[in-house]
């Protein structure tokens, strides 16, 4: 690591020397400041950390060499996409490395437990799970570009990942400003094309038997004219004879013998479930994208993978600010009711009497007030700006405006 000018993770060093990682971090900052090493201090290489973990981890020691090389390229591709999606911004890098490796292992049908891998890289399991959840949620957002994207969830994203990764590969290899010609630009109406295909009643049998006449096909399809033949909008009305269904089923069993396996003994009459995985028969990974190799941050941000997201920490901060804004408005209303019990109409604004709380009618809603609401009320009474309260630094604001203000 020293020869390659790459720093070791602090968690790994702290585990080796038996020291607390936070104490080690403070000492590193003191040494860096004292020796003025900030300009020469190398940055943490998250791509190299992924490759190093994949190479040295015991979880992948039984994996074939070719598959391991494919997993490395897929991991580099996904972790650079994660960096582009700001999943590593302001976070520790090792939990994200664990999350990407666990996802790649599941994608290649390699059993890896997130607890074991997190223990090897000295990362907190809960943090690794959080990064894994964020990765799945971001991939689901990216999968919305697929025709069936609305059906993709965090539970089935692994099955849809080959299609998504192939799309992101093609998207990243496209030139800036280059647009693919759509079917509309080519002058094709997709609905008309599908209807025309459905009208060809001999297409399926000709491909099977090598040129059977349409007269022989009439036994499997209804004898309607081309005008009356149903289109795509009423395909449920299409009539298929039982002989046709039986023939198609026998051909399917001949091509897939594993779909019809009987069990021995008492369960001989039960059929085993046929499981089909498209990853077993489709080489979806090409690895031709530049994202499969380490790129500089500037080059990485210029790549287009089909979706752009905001940093999760920034989004979470904005959500918390909106929640604090609602709390501030509610606190102002409560203060207004106490300070001005008479409203504009001259009626009395009565607060809920705690002694009569048990006598409230069923269905009457009373706002719950917790410690955060009480702190916000206190800060508003002491004249603290609402913009400062929204940031959530309650301890600092209490020290500045309440405890050191001379009033209680």
């Amino acid at each position: 690591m020293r020869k390659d000018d790459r720093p070791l993770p602090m968690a790994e060093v702290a585990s080796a020397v038996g020291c607390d990682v936070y104490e080690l971090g403070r000492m590193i900052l003191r040494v860096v400041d004292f020796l003025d090493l900030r300009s020469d201090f190398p940055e943490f290489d998250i791509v190299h950390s992924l490759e190093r973990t994949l190479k040295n981890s015991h979880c992948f020691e039984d994996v074939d060499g070719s598959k391991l090389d494919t997993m490395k390229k897929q991991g580099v591709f996904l972790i650079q996409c994660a960096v582009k999606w700001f999943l590593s911004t302001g976070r520790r890098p090792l939990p994200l490395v664990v999350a990407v490796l666990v996802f790649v292992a599941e994608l290649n049908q390699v059993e890896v437990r997130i607890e074991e891998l997190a223990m090897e890289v000295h990362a907190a399991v809960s943090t690794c799970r959080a990064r894994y959840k964020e990765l799945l949620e971001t991939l689901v957002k990216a999968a919305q570009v697929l025709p069936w994207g609305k059906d993709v969830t965090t539970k089935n994203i692994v099955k849809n990942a080959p299609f998504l990764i192939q799309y992101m590969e093609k998207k990243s290899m496209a030139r800036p400003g280059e647009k693919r010609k759509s079917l509309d630009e080519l002058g094709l109406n997709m609905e008309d094309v599908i209807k025309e295909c459905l009208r060809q009643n001999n297409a399926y049998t000709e491909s099977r038997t090598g040129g059977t006449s349409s007269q022989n096909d009439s036994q499997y399809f209804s004898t309607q004219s081309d005008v009356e033949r149903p289109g795509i909008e009423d395909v449920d009305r299409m009539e298929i004879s039982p002989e046709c269904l039986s023939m198609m089923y026998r051909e399917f069993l001949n091509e897939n013998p594993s779909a019809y396996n009987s069990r021995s003994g008492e369960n001989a009459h039960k059929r085993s479930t046929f499981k089909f995985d498209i990853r077993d028969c489709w080489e979806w990974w090409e690895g031709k994208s530049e994202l499969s190799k380490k790129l500089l941050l500037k080059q990485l941000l210029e790549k287009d993978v089909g979706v752009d997201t905001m940093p999760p920490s920034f989004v979470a901060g904005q959500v918390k600010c909106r929640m604090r804004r609602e709390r501030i408005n509610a606190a102002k209303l409560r203060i207004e009711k106490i300070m001005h019990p008479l409203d504009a109409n001259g009626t009395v604004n009565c607060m809920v009497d705690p002694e009569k709380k048990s006598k409230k009618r069923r269905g009457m809603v009373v706002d719950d007030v917790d410690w955060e609401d009480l702190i916000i009320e206190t800060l508003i009474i002491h004249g603290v700006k609402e913009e400062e309260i929204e940031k959530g630094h309650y301890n600092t604001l209490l020290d500045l405006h309440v405890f050191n203000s001379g009033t209680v």
Side-chain angles (χ1 to χ4, degrees):
M1 297 292 286
R2 188 185 301 112
K3 291 180 179 179
D4 295 337
D5 197 23
R6 292 190 173 96
L8 284 170
M10 283 195 300
E12 184 175 348
V13 177
S15 176
V17 301
C19 143
D20 183 70
V21 64
Y22 298 101
E23 182 180 355
L24 178 63
R26 289 191 291 268
M27 180 56 66
I28 290 175
L29 289 178
R30 291 176 60 186
V31 173
V32 170
D33 291 337
F34 182 77
L35 299 178
D36 195 15
L37 298 176
R38 290 190 178 276
S39 59
D40 300 330
F41 207 68
E43 297 181 357
F44 187 81
D45 192 347
I46 192 171
V47 175
H48 181 268
S49 178
L50 182 138
E51 296 175 348
R52 181 169 175 260
T53 303
L54 186 64
K55 180 180 178 181
N56 300 332
S57 175
H58 297 287
C59 299
F60 305 100
E61 58 184 4
D62 297 332
V63 182
D64 183 68
S66 59
K67 178 180 286 190
L68 197 65
D69 185 65
T70 301
M71 291 176 60
K72 183 181 72 173
K73 293 181 180 179
Q74 294 173 358
V76 172
F77 179 87
L78 285 177
I79 203 165
Q80 293 197 113
C81 290
V83 173
K84 179 177 174 60
W85 293 332
F86 303 103
L87 298 183
S88 62
T89 303
R91 272 85 177 274
R92 297 185 180 183
L94 291 180
L96 182 59
V97 171
V98 173
V100 171
L101 287 178
V102 170
F103 182 82
V104 171
E106 189 174 1
L107 189 60
N108 290 271
Q109 302 176 1
V110 177
E111 294 185 3
V112 174
R113 295 184 58 188
I114 193 171
E115 295 85 0
E116 296 179 0
L117 194 57
M119 187 179 300
E120 289 189 5
V121 300
H122 310 285
V125 178
S126 59
T127 308
C128 295
R129 293 186 184 276
R131 297 293 89 80
Y132 183 74
K133 181 181 178 181
E134 290 178 354
L135 178 63
L136 295 184
E137 292 175 350
T138 309
L139 289 174
V140 170
K141 293 180 181 178
Q144 299 305 307
V145 298
L146 299 176
W148 59 92
K150 62 180 181 180
D151 299 326
V152 179
T153 61
T154 55
K155 295 183 179 180
N156 59 15
I157 184 60
V158 177
K159 296 182 179 179
N160 293 276
F163 303 98
L164 176 60
I165 294 177
Q166 190 178 49
Y167 166 79
M168 293 193 300
E169 269 195 302
K170 300 293 185 182
K171 192 73 173 177
S172 63
M173 290 188 295
R175 296 178 181 178
E178 180 182 0
K179 296 182 179 179
R180 294 182 58 186
K181 292 184 178 181
S182 61
L183 295 176
D184 296 335
E185 295 176 354
L186 295 175
L188 296 177
N189 190 331
M190 202 61 188
E191 184 177 357
D192 294 339
V193 172
I194 296 177
K195 287 182 178 179
E196 184 66 24
C197 293
L198 291 176
R199 291 193 183 99
Q200 304 296 328
N201 58 353
N202 60 345
Y204 175 78
T205 310
E206 285 183 356
S207 62
R208 282 294 188 185
T209 60
T212 306
S213 61
S214 59
Q215 184 177 0
N216 296 332
D217 296 337
S218 60
Q219 59 177 329
Y220 304 126
F221 298 92
S222 60
T223 58
Q224 303 180 25
S225 62
D226 289 341
V227 179
E228 297 177 352
R229 185 168 289 110
I232 187 172
E233 65 275 359
D234 53 354
V235 70
D236 294 333
R237 295 167 51 193
M238 183 178 295
E239 299 177 6
I240 302 178
S241 63
E243 293 82 3
C244 178
L245 293 175
S246 178
M247 181 194 68
M248 295 170 62
Y249 182 65
R250 285 195 302 269
E251 291 181 357
F252 172 76
L253 292 180
N254 293 333
E255 295 177 358
N256 302 276
S258 60
Y260 184 77
N261 292 326
S262 60
R263 298 182 181 178
S264 59
E266 298 179 354
N267 298 329
H269 63 282
K270 296 183 180 180
R271 296 178 181 176
S272 61
T273 305
F274 174 68
K275 297 182 179 180
F276 174 76
D277 195 341
I278 194 172
R279 292 171 291 181
D280 296 335
C281 58
W282 175 40
E283 293 294 338
W284 56 270
W285 172 253
E286 296 182 1
K288 298 180 180 179
S289 174
E290 293 182 357
L291 289 175
S292 301
K293 303 177 182 178
K294 186 180 183 309
L295 298 178
L296 298 176
L297 183 60
K298 182 179 180 181
Q299 298 174 338
L300 180 60
L301 296 177
E302 293 176 352
K303 293 292 181 180
D304 183 14
V305 293
V307 63
D308 293 324
T309 60
M310 299 295 292
S313 56
F314 174 78
V315 175
Q318 292 296 315
V319 172
K320 290 183 179 179
C321 285
R322 287 197 296 267
M323 294 175 60
R324 295 190 191 104
R325 167 55 58 182
E326 295 176 358
R327 288 177 178 268
I328 291 173
N329 294 334
K332 291 169 64 177
L333 291 177
R334 289 193 296 269
I335 294 173
E336 184 71 17
K337 288 181 180 180
I338 295 175
M339 298 183 65
H340 304 284
L342 296 178
D343 59 9
N345 298 327
T347 58
V348 179
N349 288 326
C350 297
M351 300 294 290
V352 178
D353 190 358
E355 297 179 356
K356 299 180 180 180
K357 185 175 180 180
S358 60
K359 299 181 181 180
K360 299 193 310 292
R361 293 178 300 175
R362 180 176 298 180
M364 185 175 180
V365 179
V366 179
D367 295 335
D368 293 331
V369 179
D370 56 7
W371 64 269
E372 188 174 359
D373 295 315
L374 297 177
I375 292 177
I376 291 175
E377 289 181 3
T378 304
L379 294 176
I380 292 176
I381 293 174
H382 284 78
V384 182
K385 295 181 180 180
E386 297 179 6
E387 293 79 7
E388 296 181 358
I389 300 177
E390 286 183 0
K391 298 179 181 179
H393 304 300
Y394 298 135
N395 292 333
T396 303
L397 295 176
L398 288 173
D399 290 339
L400 292 176
H401 300 278
V402 179
F403 302 114
N404 294 333
S405 62
T407 60
V408 179

